Amino acid sequence: MRFAVVSTAAAALLLAAPSLAQHEGHKMAAHPMAEHALHAALADPARPAKDKERDATRHPAELLSFMGVKPGDKVGDFIMGSGYWTRILAKTVGEKGKVYAYQPAEFIAFRAAYGTDQDDAAKPYANVVPSRESLGAVTFPEKLDAIITVQNWHDLHLAKSPATLGASVARALYDSLKPGGVLLVVDHVGEPGATPFAVAETLHRGDADATKKEIEAAGFKLAGTSPIYANPADPHTNKVFDPVIRGKTDQFVYKFVKS
C-alpha cells in the first residue's frame, strides 16, 4: 500500500485551511486544556523567530492535535533536529509534563551544530531533558505517553546504517511507550523502488509502505493518517533539499498506537 494522495483540489483546500485537514474521526484539540496549551505554546516568546515563520507550513497545532498531546504528558521528540517540535511540546505538556529531546550521537559526530541546537532548545525549559545516545542504544528513563519523529525515518535507512537499524529502533520506541501510547511518524514521500527505502540515500525521502510495515512489525497498530502535508504537485523525484521543492514536499503522516 502506498500513501494515498488526495486530489489537487482537495490538497489546495487543506493547504489553505489546515484546520480542515482531518482524518476520519480526528478533531482539532478535543480537550479545551489541550487546545489552550497548544495555542499558548505557539505564542511562547522563547521560540525563535525562524521557528514561528515555519508555522504556516508546518501546521503544528493541527499535527499535535491529531497526535493527541495534552498537558501533563511525557513525550519523546525522537531525532529532534533544530528543536522546532521540542520547544512547542515543552509548553504544551507544561510543568507537570516532560519532553525527552533526543539527538543521535551519530548526528552530532557528523555535524557538531546538532549538539548546539539541542542545548539551545533545551536550555529555556525546565521540563526538557536532552539525551544523545547512539541510535542503536536509544532509551528513555520512564515510559512515555507519546513519541514524535518528523522527517527522520528514512535516515534510519541510509547506506551507512546497519540493515536492521529501522526495525531495532521501532522495537525500542515500542518498548519506550506506555500501553496505548502514540508514535507519530512524518516523512517525505518517495516513490517505492525495487527494494524498500531505495531513495533514502539519494533523495532523502521515505518509503510509506515500508515504513508502515516496519513499525507494525514491532507491535504497533496504525490508528490513523492525516493529509495535512499532502502535496500532489511534488513529483517525488527531487531531493528534498532542492530549492524547487524544499519545505513543500509531499509527506505522509502515520499515527501508531502501542497495543
Side-chain angles (χ1 to χ4, degrees):
M1 182 190 81
R2 187 183 171 279
F3 174 65
V5 179
V6 297
S7 68
T8 303
L13 176 61
L14 292 170
L15 291 172
S19 62
L20 298 178
Q22 299 175 353
H23 178 70
E24 230 175 282
H26 167 54
K27 295 181 180 179
M28 170 66 184
H31 195 291
M33 286 181 62
E35 183 174 1
H36 175 76
L38 281 167
H39 288 294
L42 296 181
D44 176 18
R47 294 183 69 214
K50 62 181 178 61
D51 279 16
K52 294 182 178 182
E53 291 169 2
R54 299 166 75 187
D55 291 348
T57 56
R58 304 200 82 172
H59 311 313
E62 290 78 18
L63 186 69
L64 295 184
S65 165
F66 175 61
M67 185 179 176
V69 176
K70 61 188 183 301
D73 278 353
K74 308 295 193 303
V75 182
D77 186 1
F78 180 72
I79 311 185
M80 60 175 288
S82 65
Y84 175 89
W85 294 104
T86 294
R87 293 180 175 95
I88 298 172
L89 288 166
K91 283 294 187 179
T92 300
V93 302
E95 294 179 359
K96 294 183 179 180
K98 191 158 289 186
V99 179
Y100 292 96
Y102 172 72
Q103 198 84 295
E106 294 91 336
F107 281 36
I108 296 172
F110 173 73
R111 179 174 172 267
Y114 280 121
T116 303
D117 288 343
Q118 184 187 43
D119 293 338
D120 290 345
K123 187 176 180 180
Y125 306 101
N127 63 344
V128 172
V129 179
S131 63
R132 50 180 70 177
E133 298 91 354
S134 162
L135 280 164
V138 62
T139 185
F140 298 95
E142 62 179 320
K143 297 294 186 181
L144 305 180
D145 297 289
I147 297 171
I148 184 172
T149 185
V150 178
Q151 300 174 351
N152 298 311
W153 203 265
H154 69 274
D155 288 322
L156 305 178
H157 295 274
L158 300 179
K160 61 185 176 183
S161 301
T164 58
L165 181 60
S168 65
V169 166
R171 288 193 297 272
L173 298 184
Y174 183 89
D175 292 340
S176 298
L177 288 165
K178 300 174 183 176
V182 168
L183 171 64
L184 191 79
V185 179
V186 179
D187 210 350
H188 310 281
V189 175
E191 291 295 333
T195 58
F197 301 101
V199 296
E201 182 76 27
T202 55
L203 303 182
H204 289 271
R205 290 176 179 267
D207 183 322
D209 187 47
T211 298
K212 176 177 174 291
K213 289 178 178 177
E214 186 167 67
I215 293 172
E216 288 182 326
F220 285 101
K221 302 297 182 186
L222 183 65
T225 66
S226 172
I228 190 171
Y229 298 137
N231 180 12
D234 178 1
H236 300 163
T237 54
N238 300 58
K239 184 177 286 191
V240 299
F241 308 116
D242 185 333
V244 172
I245 198 67
R246 187 167 191 169
K248 299 175 287 186
T249 57
D250 189 18
Q251 298 170 52
F252 59 86
V253 180
Y254 287 151
K255 178 178 178 179
F256 298 94
V257 174
K258 178 175 180 176
S259 56

